[in-house]
Amino acid sequence: MNPSLPAPAAKPFSAAFARLPRAYPWVVFALTFGLMLSDYLSRQVIGAVIPALKADWGLLDSQLAMLVSVVALVVGVLTVPMSLVADRWGRVRSITLMAFVWCLATIACGLAQNHGQLLWARAFVGLGEAAYGAAGAALLAHVFPARQRAAVLGAFLSASLFGSVLGVVLGGVVAAHSGWRMAFFVVGAPGLLLALIYPFVVRDYTTVELTPDVARGGEAPKRPGLAQVAREVFAVRSGNFTYLASGLQMAMPAMLIAWLPTYFTRYHDMDVKKAGLMAGVAVLAAGIGMLFGGGLADRLSRNHPRRRALVPAAYSLLTALILIVAFALPPGPLGLSMIFLGALFAAAQGGCSSAIVCDVTHPGVRATVAATMTLANNLIGLAPGPLIVGVLSDLIGLKLALTLTPGLALAAAVCFVLASRSYEFDAAARSRAGGAQQAA
């Protein structure tokens, strides 16, 4: 049996949905999107229960910070190796197993009796989530045609932002009424239902073996080595510039999520509750931008392929200009409105970037390519962005720090423009290579 195919029991259900050619991709999308929401609900609920944990266990702030950071640390370290496993073992099986791991680990958080147990449970949340975004993106890139790819992947990735907001809000409400342990139970349990359904509805695609250019007459190994996988992942200029551009741009939503509540309390005279609510509105705006940003890129690039990379360049440029002006203005309604507008464009490039790298790389390594994008986003933007603001804030104040940091988005725009110069050629070359392999 091909290990990349789902278990036999799943075939009748999958085949039934597959006979509905228009509905099936959207069923797959709905389930995959739902699991992405569960992923980020489980990841971000910790923020809502930190005050209760401090009160119950008397933890230091550094210990509480470890509970937040350990998930991102495990995801960053394991995303590429776990995605390699997903490419070999099969996306559906991997997604199902990962969802069970992070959901059960989230429930285990509610059973923890001390800081050490809770830290280990949170680490297992990260283990389950390490390759989910990559495997889910690879599966959706296969199910949907290329002309819809940016829109679909953008919508899929927007679940991370919506899930983050929902995790904090839902966790806080449940913790206030039923205690912090119940918050973990409520957040972790629904994902188990989706994980049970997933392999019975979704069909995997047979892993495409890596092959050299057919014109050279080479023979492909059955199990490509890491060196060959790395060559495929970093094979083209447009893909490499896109990794860099996406990472730089992702510093924008990261800094907004981390520092807007503090900015609103210091400069807009908001109380903590209102500052958190306003920050949530900004995060929702970023999620909406990610949801629709890919669709706009698909539409504008339909007859002009180069625009696939130029549209996200425009998103980055608008983000930089709007946020620089917003934070430079005196605190007031105009500055607040411009922050929300800048947030709308801050993550809009997410689906575009994922689509670009999928378009120009081998389908046999798409999960690994998506994992590389996740790695770039974390190492270049998500982790350093808030830290850069914090360091600058100590030197020149938070307001000026937030005014200067959107310069990273300007650098992202330049990288997207550089990617656009070779994207059309790289995508056409990949398309020709794929057609030649099928003909052979």
Side-chain angles (χ1 to χ4, degrees), residues 258-284:
W259 288 105
L260 276 184
T262 303
Y263 173 77
F264 289 147
T265 57
R266 290 184 187 177
Y267 297 96
H268 286 258
D269 295 325
M270 297 181 185
D271 59 33
V272 174
K273 181 178 179 181
K274 185 176 181 180
L277 178 61
M278 290 296 101
V281 172
V283 175
L284 282 175

Side-chain angles (χ1 to χ4, degrees), residues 5-21 24-25 27-28 31 92 197-204:
L5 295 177
K11 291 181 179 178
F13 295 91
S14 299
F17 280 100
R19 284 196 292 269
L20 304 173
Y24 174 72
V27 172
V28 175
L31 290 173
V92 171
I197 295 172
Y198 202 86
F200 291 96
V201 175
V202 181
R203 295 182 304 166
D204 206 346

